[in-house]
Amino acid sequence: HIKMHLHNLCPNYGVHFIAVLAFLVPTVNNILIVTIDITTKQFYTVIVTKTLTIKENTMNDIQQIKHLVENYQNAIHTQDKPIFYSLWSSKEPVSLISISTCYNGLEAIYNDFLINAIQVKYESIHLIAKAINIRLINDQTALVIFDYQTQCILNSTHEPYGIEGVETQVVVKENNQWKLAHIHYSKA
């Protein structure tokens, strides 16, 4: 079953399958996040789940998750620590994979990624999420996938700069609120 998912997303998995197994990480609600650093130095995130039924309150959940994404976009811009922290799970281990680095834990995500990488490089940053696709895995877990683009001003030259790509977020429900558990973004 895992091989089938890996083959669909990473056609060359067979050559590196033994290495892939070393990266299986169990998480909440019978979901398995597989982050793979294949010899090409690329990251892949694969979600393996059981088929689960979705309750009728999915529209409310989808609206709440969209609001979470909007709040995340704003927190990237403002870099306000209490707001940024409030968006993340306090019960699950959290992580963020950027283009080249994996940050584990909220302190590392905020300090090393947002402050020491983003804030140092950019005078300002606006994250724009487009084509947001929300997939409810069950009533406690969802997968969010969207195209993103950034509009930034470089600190070094004060010139406009931006990147675009695809972002994946794993969100979990805690105390009836959706929270970020994992983010992975790649550059186009």
Side-chain angles (χ1 to χ4, degrees), residues 48-118:
V48 181
T49 65
K50 295 179 181 178
T51 305
L52 300 167
T53 42
I54 305 299
K55 293 184 179 178
E56 288 187 16
N57 64 355
T58 57
M59 290 309 291
N60 186 35
D61 287 327
I62 289 171
Q63 291 299 355
Q64 288 178 20
I65 294 167
K66 282 184 182 178
H67 188 67
L68 175 66
V69 172
E70 291 166 3
N71 288 339
Y72 176 74
Q73 290 173 261
N74 188 52
I76 291 294
H77 172 68
T78 65
Q79 299 166 3
D80 181 279
K81 188 175 184 175
I83 291 172
F84 188 82
Y85 272 57
S86 73
L87 303 176
W88 291 84
S89 171
S90 61
K91 297 179 181 177
E92 299 298 331
V94 298
S95 56
L96 181 145
I97 299 174
S98 69
I99 295 166
S100 62
T101 306
C102 181
Y103 302 91
N104 291 302
L106 192 49
E107 289 290 322
I109 295 168
Y110 182 78
N111 293 321
D112 300 338
F113 169 71
L114 191 58
I115 301 303
N116 295 332
I118 300 296

Side-chain angles (χ1 to χ4, degrees), residues 25 99 179 188:
V25 181
I99 295 166
K179 302 288 185 176

Side-chain angles (χ1 to χ4, degrees), residues 92-148:
E92 299 298 331
V94 298
S95 56
L96 181 145
I97 299 174
S98 69
I99 295 166
S100 62
T101 306
C102 181
Y103 302 91
N104 291 302
L106 192 49
E107 289 290 322
I109 295 168
Y110 182 78
N111 293 321
D112 300 338
F113 169 71
L114 191 58
I115 301 303
N116 295 332
I118 300 296
Q119 191 178 75
V120 166
K121 187 170 184 173
Y122 304 116
E123 187 175 300
S124 69
I125 180 169
H126 293 276
L127 174 63
I128 300 160
K130 302 178 284 185
I132 299 171
N133 182 347
I134 299 169
R135 299 176 189 167
L136 292 169
I137 306 298
N138 59 38
D139 61 351
Q140 298 295 308
T141 310
L143 182 63
V144 183
I145 303 169
F146 57 86
D147 296 327
Y148 77 87

